[in-house]
Amino acid sequence: MRPTDCKYQKTHEWCKIQNGIATIGITDYAVSHLSDLVFLDLPAKGGSVKIGESFGEIESVKAVSSLYSPLNGEVIDSNKDLPDNLEWLAQEPFGKAWMIQAKVTATSPDLLDAAAYDAHCKAEG
């Protein structure tokens, strides 16, 4: 079951906001559809993210996919260990496989709760 303390995007990113700081990653659904991950590009600390804009890329043997920000803010940390440990995404997509942390200035009005995201995934097939 997906964490209920996270918000989700239809593009399959999740975010958990605590004290104005968001932790962002991709969902188990995204990971299962990408499979065979080979590369991850994340932004550097100090960069900015904007709602709906790409903050990085993840590559599988099948395709390259952009990662879309669910919020506006400044990147305060990037999971430096994740690109060398892509298996974490399948093991703990909502835990140690987080991608970036950002100081939040605004969030997307289109974020879904866990139940709505589950319904979206079922509709997508």
Side-chain angles (χ1 to χ4, degrees):
M1 190 158 139
R2 293 183 183 96
T4 56
D5 60 348
C6 294
K7 296 293 183 185
Y8 302 87
Q9 294 197 111
K10 289 183 177 179
T11 52
H12 308 294
E13 293 82 11
W14 60 267
C15 69
K16 180 177 180 178
I17 302 172
Q18 295 177 295
N19 301 320
I21 304 297
T23 302
I24 302 169
I26 61 170
T27 67
D28 55 325
Y29 182 89
V31 173
S32 70
H33 282 75
L34 288 168
S35 71
D36 299 324
L37 299 172
V38 294
F39 179 76
L40 176 64
D41 181 39
L42 296 173
K45 184 176 174 179
S48 63
V49 291
K50 291 193 176 17
I51 294 169
E53 292 186 8
S54 175
F55 67 82
E57 290 183 334
I58 190 161
E59 184 177 341
S60 72
V61 294
K62 294 193 271 185
V64 175
S65 300
S66 290
L67 304 166
Y68 296 101
S69 179
L71 50 88
N72 293 342
E74 178 189 344
V75 177
I76 58 171
D77 201 3
S78 195
N79 190 342
K80 298 176 284 307
D81 297 325
L82 187 56
D84 293 326
N85 297 283
L86 294 174
E87 68 278 4
W88 291 355
L89 287 161
Q91 296 165 357
E92 290 187 53
F94 303 102
K96 67 180 176 183
W98 63 274
M99 294 183 166
I100 62 171
Q101 291 183 321
K103 188 172 183 183
V104 180
T105 57
T107 59
S108 169
D110 299 325
L111 293 177
L112 306 171
D113 64 17
Y117 179 71
D118 286 344
H120 169 71
C121 291
K122 283 182 184 138
E124 229 181 47

